Amino acid sequence: MFPTIIKHRKKPHELLAYEALFRRILEHYRQHEAIVSEYKRVKAGYDGERNVDYKLSTYPQKNFFVFQGIRLQNPPFPFQIDTLILTEKMIYILEVKNQKGVFQYDSEQQQLTQIVDGEVKSYKDPILQAEAQKTHLQGWLARHGVFNMPIETLVVIAYPSTVIENITKDPEVYKKIIHNESLHEHLNRLNNRYTENILTSAHLKKLCQALLNEDTPLRTDILQQHNIGWQHMIKGIPCEKCYQYPMERLNKKWQCPKCSAVSSKAHERVILDHLLLHSTTITNRQCREILQVDSPGTAYLLMKSMNLSRSGKNSARVYYSPLVNEFPQSSNIPIKFKNNFAKQSLD
Ligand SMILES: [Zn+2]
């Protein structure tokens, strides 16, 4: 009765990395303005996409196969689609916009602008962005033997409070930039435009599998982006209760030297955060460094218990990061955002 979700949305690497950064960076850098504002931008994007996911999940149409976020390659270009819907007769690309406020769209200049504090801010034309993804997807489909599949694009405004003024009153714009609330009506309108099935259900299934197999989520190096080094980071495991660090390894458990809280698994989050922020691999020596333990045997047992995939032997052994989509989705971050950011420098 409702669409089938082939790929469920997971937090993008960038969002997971910001959450990891707030756990790992020294407390007095946590309110750094550039870090907090980038985090909020990434979080708003994810939340907006989830609004659209919810609306789409209630669309009464069963032959819709939904990919909630997918990143593919049309060599040499990677391209990312916020939501892709595959059906037997057509494909939809949804480009989700999460900005709030009042915007002006000029279809003649192909420009989206916003006036903030008397200054004009200009954004990429979202219709052109969606059309560029369509071109890339056509390239991808051609390499999979699909040449005649109609593709329709919609720019979906995630939040009802956002206003887009169509300043040239171009009737096409009303059909291309839509609010999440009217998503069902626009899907109906487009769905009725096509009658012929292009794919058999077997072919559709194969294409779903190919899309899943070729999804390559982006990794973002936020440490480099913000010029953050080891000197800005916590050493060892912080206590989950009082944030004192490092916790000490005693009797096969972690113990807080300040409040005596005990944890058996506190190392797991710290190792995963390392794999989100620093590198997709970790060695025994790096593990000892980030957990502040001396014993290679202890580090070995701790990493072994996490079932990370690994290669190499003895001191050359490396352990690999889980895939981006396999990281835990919980977001326990030790920060409450203030309205006035401390203007800190990272030097
Ligand atoms: Zn404690």
Side-chain angles (χ1 to χ4, degrees):
M1 187 60 197
F2 294 104
T4 304
I5 315 295
I6 303 291
K7 190 198 159 196
H8 287 267
R9 190 173 310 282
K10 295 284 178 72
K11 287 182 180 172
H13 174 266
E14 197 174 16
L15 180 54
L16 292 168
Y18 275 105
E19 292 174 354
L21 180 61
F22 286 124
R23 287 187 289 265
R24 298 306 298 160
I25 199 166
L26 290 167
E27 190 180 355
H28 58 280
Y29 296 123
R30 272 185 213 141
Q31 296 283 349
H32 188 271
E33 191 177 13
I35 296 172
V36 172
S37 73
E38 275 299 285
Y39 163 73
K40 287 186 169 176
R41 180 187 63 76
V42 175
K43 176 79 163 55
Y46 175 69
D47 291 344
E49 286 163 5
R50 299 231 301 173
N51 278 357
V52 177
D53 292 341
Y54 177 73
K55 188 72 189 174
L56 180 58
S57 74
T58 61
Y59 184 55
Q61 166 64 262
K62 72 172 161 66
N63 294 318
F64 269 42
F65 298 88
V66 178
F67 295 79
Q68 295 174 342
I70 190 160
R71 184 168 172 274
L72 302 165
Q73 307 286 334
N74 179 33
F77 305 106
F79 65 103
Q80 176 134 11
I81 293 175
D82 293 337
T83 301
L84 184 153
I85 309 167
L86 182 59
T87 77
E88 286 168 336
K89 54 185 185 178
M90 64 186 294
I91 289 175
Y92 302 86
I93 290 174
L94 308 187
E95 166 69 21
V96 179
K97 288 288 149 208
N98 58 72
Q99 287 99 332
K100 294 181 181 174
V102 180
F103 295 82
Q104 290 76 39
Y105 182 73
D106 182 336
S107 65
E108 280 165 20
Q109 300 286 339
Q110 298 189 306
Q111 203 176 32
L112 184 70
T113 53
Q114 183 184 28
I115 297 171
V116 181
D117 300 331
E119 277 186 41
V120 180
K121 277 178 82 176
S122 161
Y123 298 89
K124 283 184 190 161
D125 178 342
I127 296 178
L128 287 184
Q129 271 183 294
E131 289 301 314
Q133 290 157 11
K134 174 176 165 174
T135 306
H136 284 310
L137 185 60
Q138 281 166 334
W140 187 91
L141 287 167
R143 284 191 300 109
H144 290 78
V146 180
F147 297 95
N148 50 353
M149 193 75 165
I151 300 175
E152 292 283 353
T153 63
L154 288 171
V155 175
V156 185
I157 308 301
Y159 297 107
S161 59
T162 301
V163 175
I164 307 274
E165 294 169 353
N166 177 2
I167 61 172
T168 56
K169 303 274 184 263
D170 179 342
E172 283 306 303
V173 171
Y174 294 111
K175 295 181 188 167
K176 285 280 182 191
I177 304 181
I178 65 161
H179 269 104
N180 193 25
E181 283 65 42
S182 61
L183 178 62
H184 293 190
E185 288 75 18
H186 285 277
L187 291 175
N188 286 339
R189 173 176 64 78
L190 294 169
N191 203 31
N192 291 335
R193 198 184 277 179
Y194 303 91
T195 49
E196 187 194 347
N197 277 1
I198 309 287
L199 300 176
T200 62
S201 64
H203 199 173
L204 183 138
K205 228 173 159 180
K206 257 178 82 178
L207 213 51
C208 281
Q209 197 54 52
L211 285 163
L212 279 180
N213 292 347
E214 296 189 27
D215 180 27
T216 50
L218 179 69
R219 272 187 71 102
T220 314
D221 188 347
I222 65 167
L223 297 184
Q224 193 192 39
Q225 207 170 305
H226 294 286
N227 251 319
I228 298 168
W230 286 104
Q231 69 276 24
H232 303 116
M233 306 295 265
I234 289 172
K235 288 199 169 38
I237 303 178
C239 171
E240 287 158 4
K241 297 238 158 57
C242 74
Y243 300 117
Q244 181 78 16
Y245 60 87
M247 290 182 97
E248 290 161 2
R249 188 79 185 154
L250 284 171
N251 303 322
K252 300 192 174 174
K253 286 201 163 52
W254 300 102
Q255 194 174 61
C256 174
K258 189 177 170 197
C259 76
S260 300
V262 172
S263 166
S264 55
K265 296 197 175 243
H267 57 281
E268 292 186 357
R269 187 71 263 181
V270 173
I271 290 172
L272 290 174
D273 286 347
H274 173 90
L275 293 168
L276 283 167
L277 288 169
H278 295 278
S279 163
T280 54
T281 60
I282 183 170
T283 62
N284 188 293
R285 192 183 54 74
Q286 289 166 331
C287 177
R288 280 179 276 147
E289 170 78 25
I290 64 168
L291 301 182
Q292 298 280 290
V293 295
D294 296 326
S295 155
T298 300
Y300 169 77
L301 288 173
L302 291 173
M303 286 199 291
K304 193 174 166 225
S305 73
M306 289 177 68
N307 290 319
L308 301 172
S309 58
R310 58 193 181 174
S311 70
K313 279 206 171 354
N314 302 324
S315 65
R317 175 169 287 164
V318 290
Y319 296 81
Y320 294 95
S321 170
L323 299 174
V324 170
N325 291 332
E326 291 169 350
F327 274 88
Q329 299 287 298
S330 57
S331 48
N332 187 15
I333 55 173
I335 180 167
K336 287 195 176 63
F337 295 108
K338 299 170 196 160
N339 286 327
N340 296 323
F341 305 129
K343 302 265 183 192
Q344 295 152 336
S345 148
L346 280 168
D347 301 328

